[in-house]
């Protein structure tokens, strides 16, 4: 999904989709952007939950000197746009996060809104990215 | 004797024992000294392994880097880069110390459980603790109650709650039937399957990422362990270990000469059994609530130690603590260096490490120490 969104994943040489990785190594590879996935999204009414996750992520001592933290490129994203059948929305959100200057007139949340309201008949709600675009 | 006959060591020793009481004392103190020496060697080995563990890891820290970062916290004049300090104090040392403490806790629980049930196949998980804790954790993960800090606390708390619940049910059920070792084991196994089935139901209905989180929890990990968590586990272990050590002679009696004779010698078998059970479960539940399920140590550390020091619980209990700690720290270090940067879950590595070691010791030792 990262590659689809135009990013470079931190561990291109590892093939399993999910694996536990040594925090020391993440800090050493010095990511430019860190995105943390959270299971909730659609039913959230405000950003407090994502904010708590964000704060606890920023305060990790070993990540303090990474480019991502020092340049404020840490995001919390909901799995509601990045998991299961909704994986198709992931690259959109990622592209907007990674290259905001290229997508100044594009808002992925509008696409999501159209999907929810027109195709699923559900009301538009939820928090999907923190901090917002 | 006319011919030189090769006597087995046991008979030779018996001939010497019949000689005099002073000789017996000398033999006994030699016996004790040998065991103490072994324990000291074990502690030394543990320290060496811990030192290696502190220096091992994905971040390329040299030995001097490690020493400087260690000293920087205590000596005012020494400076260390923030990254080194973070890696050492936030990532590596917590893992290692939690490994030691958890290894001690799980191993001594296992030894105690095997002692009170007189059964070498028993581990703390025979009481259904692991399945129950997995259910507790899965429920919280599934229903997403709480998040970030509070979420983890709830997972820990609920896992612990369910683990102790399982213990109390097993305990209650077995008391209905006379609280013998057999009923304990049977009730424990039944509950283990029951909670396992409930966990499977929860996992069946879980969405993708939630299921991943649940399964990952059951693998067990030391990543992200905090000093506060270490403190809690250390406190519990420090409180329970002296009680277990106090029961050494009682366990010796119960294992080798049976309940009736032991009672005749003044051992309160019911109390030893109840207290040991609850405390073993308590230690195990505490450890696995924080780390996830690490199953092999409680079963196999007592056996390895038994082959090395024999069945006398005065030495078996501390010995298995040391062996348990060595196993855990060794397994964790191997798990995070062998396929760096991937970290293999500790329960898997402990099994891969412990099984060959155990088989080797089992096959190369001539005597069966179980009934001694």
């Amino acid at each position: 999904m990262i590659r689809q969104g135009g990013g470079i994943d931190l561990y291109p040489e590892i093939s399993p989709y999910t694996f536990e990785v040594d925090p020391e190594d993440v800090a050493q590879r010095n990511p430019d952007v860190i995105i943390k996935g959270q299971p909730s999204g659609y039913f959230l009414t405000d950003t407090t939950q994502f904010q708590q996750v964000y704060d606890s992520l920023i305060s990790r001592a070993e990540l303090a000197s990474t480019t991502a933290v020092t340049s404020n490129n840490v995001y919390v994203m909901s799995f509601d746009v990045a998991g299961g059948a909704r994986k198709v929305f992931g690259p959109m959100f990622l592209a907007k996060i990674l290259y905001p200057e290229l997508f100044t007139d594009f808002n992925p949340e509008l696409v999501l809104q159209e999907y929810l309201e027109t195709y699923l008949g559900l009301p538009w709600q939820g928090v999907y990215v923190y901090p917002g675009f | 004797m006319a011919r030189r006959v090769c006597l087995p060591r046991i008979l030779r020793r018996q001939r010497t024992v019949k000689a005099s009481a002073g000789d017996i004392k000398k033999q006994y103190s030699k016996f004790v000294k040998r065991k103490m020496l072994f324990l000291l060697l074990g502690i030394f080995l543990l320290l060496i392994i811990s030192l290696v563990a502190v220096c091992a890891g994905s971040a390329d820290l040299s030995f001097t880097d490690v020493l400087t970062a260690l000293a920087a916290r205590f000596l005012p004049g020494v400076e260390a880069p923030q990254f080194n300090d973070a890696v050492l104090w936030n990532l590596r040392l917590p893992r290692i110390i939690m490994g030691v403490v958890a290894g001690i806790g799980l191993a001594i629980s296992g030894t105690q459980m095997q002692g009170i049930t007189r059964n070498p196949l028993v581990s703390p998980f025979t009481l259904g603790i692991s399945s129950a804790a997995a259910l507790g954790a899965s429920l919280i993960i599934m229903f997403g109650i709480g998040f970030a800090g509070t979420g983890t606390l709830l997972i820990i708390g609920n896992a612990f709650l369910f683990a102790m619940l399982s213990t109390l049910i097993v305990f209650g059920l077995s008391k209905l039937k006379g609280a013998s070792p057999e009923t304990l084991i049977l009730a424990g196994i039944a509950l283990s399957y029951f909670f396992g089935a409930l966990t499977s139901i929860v996992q069946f209905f879980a969405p993708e990422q939630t299921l991943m989180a649940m399964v990952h929890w059951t693998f067990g990990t030391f990543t992200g362990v905090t000093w506060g968590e270490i403190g809690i586990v250390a406190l519990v272990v420090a409180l329970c270990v002296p009680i277990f050590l106090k029961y050494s002679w009682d366990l010796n009696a119960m294992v080798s000469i049976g309940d009736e004779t032991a009672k005749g010698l003044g051992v309160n078998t019911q109390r030893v059994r109840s207290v040991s059970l609850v405390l073993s479960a308590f230690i195990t539940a505490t450890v696995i609530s924080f780390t996830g399920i690490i199953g092999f140590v409680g079963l196999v550390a007592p056996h390895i130690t038994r082959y090395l020091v024999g069945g006398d619980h005065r030495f078996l209990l501390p010995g298995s603590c040391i062996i348990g700690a060595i196993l855990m720290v060794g397994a964790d270090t191997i798990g995070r260096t062998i396929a760096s940067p991937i970290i293999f879950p500790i329960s898997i590595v402990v099994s891969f490490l412990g099984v060959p070691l155990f088989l080797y010791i089992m096959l190369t030792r001539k005597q069966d120490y179980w009934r001694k």
Side-chain angles (χ1 to χ4, degrees):
Chain A
M1 193 184 304
I2 295 177
R3 294 178 209 162
Q4 283 284 66
I8 307 169
D9 50 321
L10 202 59
Y11 290 95
E13 75 275 14
I14 296 182
S15 43
Y17 289 131
T18 50
F19 48 89
E20 182 183 338
V21 88
D22 199 340
E24 296 173 21
D25 198 71
V26 172
Q28 271 213 306
R29 293 197 184 207
N30 200 7
D32 299 320
V33 182
I34 296 177
I35 302 179
K36 177 145 180 82
Q38 275 292 103
S40 41
Y42 182 72
F43 292 106
L44 289 180
T45 46
D46 57 32
T47 57
T48 40
Q49 176 175 339
F50 278 18
Q51 190 167 358
Q52 282 188 325
V53 176
Y54 177 84
D55 290 336
S56 74
L57 189 56
I58 298 252
S59 55
R60 289 195 198 173
E62 72 276 6
L63 296 177
S65 42
T66 52
T67 317
V69 175
T70 50
S71 58
N72 278 322
N73 276 330
V74 178
Y75 295 91
V76 180
M77 195 160 82
S78 165
F79 280 134
D80 280 352
V81 294
R86 286 103 58 218
K87 276 199 182 89
V88 289
F89 293 104
M92 280 193 323
F93 280 80
L94 276 174
K96 180 79 178 176
I97 288 174
L98 294 173
Y99 306 107
E101 66 280 3
L102 293 177
F103 296 98
T104 44
D105 57 344
F106 173 66
N107 188 352
E109 296 200 339
L110 292 177
V111 183
L112 187 62
Q113 183 175 1
E114 187 189 338
Y115 170 71
L116 287 171
E117 289 179 346
T118 319
Y119 294 93
L120 292 183
L122 292 172
W124 161 249
Q125 64 183 59
V127 177
Y128 298 99
V129 182
Y130 178 87
F133 300 121
Chain B
M1 285 202 308
R3 273 180 277 172
R4 295 174 82 187
V5 178
C6 188
L7 279 178
R9 255 178 40 208
I10 287 289
L11 286 184
R12 263 182 268 147
R13 207 182 286 143
Q14 280 180 344
R15 287 176 66 222
T16 326
V17 161
K18 280 190 189 135
S20 77
D23 270 349
I24 298 178
K25 267 200 205 157
K26 235 194 292 181
Q27 290 232 322
Y28 181 70
S29 57
K30 208 172 86 168
F31 170 80
V32 171
K33 274 206 196 78
R34 221 175 16 190
K35 308 295 181 195
M36 299 292 275
L37 187 70
F38 175 80
L39 290 180
L40 279 171
L41 267 170
I43 296 180
F44 186 62
L45 185 64
L46 178 62
L47 284 173
I48 302 270
I49 291 185
S50 305
L51 200 65
V52 170
V54 158
C55 300
S58 314
D60 293 315
L61 296 186
S62 70
F63 188 57
T64 31
D65 285 337
V66 170
L67 283 181
T68 337
L70 271 174
R73 286 258 177 145
F74 302 116
L75 305 174
V78 184
E79 285 290 314
Q82 190 270 342
F83 178 69
N84 290 8
D85 179 85
V87 164
L88 195 67
W89 288 97
N90 286 48
L91 295 178
R92 288 192 190 165
L93 274 184
R95 299 184 79 101
I96 295 168
I97 296 189
M98 185 55 132
V100 170
V101 174
I104 292 177
L106 291 175
I108 206 174
S109 304
T111 317
Q112 199 76 4
M113 289 284 304
Q114 287 178 358
I116 61 174
T117 55
R118 283 195 294 273
N119 188 319
L121 297 177
V122 157
S123 80
F125 297 129
T126 316
L127 296 174
I129 294 181
S130 60
S131 316
L135 177 64
S138 300
L139 282 173
I140 298 291
I141 295 174
M142 173 72 168
F143 297 110
I145 313 164
F147 33 83
T150 58
T152 333
L153 268 174
L154 276 174
I155 293 178
I156 293 171
N158 209 36
F160 180 76
L161 202 74
F162 272 74
M164 290 312 288
L165 186 74
S166 166
T167 312
L168 290 175
I169 296 179
V170 166
F171 196 45
L173 278 176
S174 73
K175 266 234 189 276
L176 282 175
K177 280 287 187 176
S180 70
E182 291 77 29
T183 53
L184 225 82
I185 296 172
L186 282 175
I189 291 179
L191 269 177
S192 195
Y193 278 112
F194 177 64
F195 281 116
L198 286 178
T199 313
S200 298
I201 294 181
V202 176
Q203 289 179 340
F204 184 71
F205 288 109
E208 199 180 324
Q209 270 81 18
T210 318
L211 178 62
M212 225 161 61
M214 284 183 204
V215 172
H216 192 254
W217 188 89
T218 59
F219 284 155
T221 179
F222 286 140
T223 311
V225 76
T226 65
W227 289 103
E229 295 174 356
I230 295 176
I232 296 178
V233 179
L235 184 70
V236 170
V237 169
L239 285 176
C240 296
V241 164
I243 301 179
F244 284 163
L245 291 177
K246 198 167 71 98
Y247 282 149
S248 303
W249 280 117
D250 296 343
L251 275 185
N252 282 348
M254 285 164 67
V255 169
S256 47
I257 55 179
D259 269 14
E260 282 77 27
T261 328
K263 276 187 214 170
L265 287 175
V267 172
N268 187 343
T269 55
Q270 285 292 63
R271 179 150 53 129
V272 171
R273 203 161 269 139
S274 315
V275 171
S276 301
L277 189 75
V278 173
L279 288 184
S280 295
F282 191 61
I283 296 181
T284 311
T286 313
V287 169
I288 66 173
S289 306
F290 289 115
T291 64
I293 299 177
I294 305 176
F296 195 61
V297 178
L299 179 62
V300 101
H303 282 288
I304 295 179
T305 322
R306 217 172 265 121
Y307 279 115
L308 297 172
V309 270
D312 186 343
H313 285 86
R314 291 177 300 155
F315 309 112
L316 182 62
L317 285 171
S320 61
C321 290
I322 298 172
I323 299 284
I326 290 178
L327 265 179
M328 288 283 245
V329 176
D332 181 57
T333 312
I334 291 179
R336 63 186 168 91
T337 50
I338 203 170
S340 187
I342 300 184
I343 297 183
F344 281 125
I346 180 130
S347 56
I348 298 175
V349 184
V350 153
S351 303
F352 272 119
L353 196 66
V355 170
L357 180 66
F358 175 62
L359 285 177
Y360 170 73
I361 293 185
M362 184 179 91
L363 293 171
T364 54
R365 288 279 155 165
K366 302 287 186 294
Q367 288 159 300
D368 170 24
Y369 273 112
W370 173 247
R371 289 295 164 197
K372 289 210 169 154

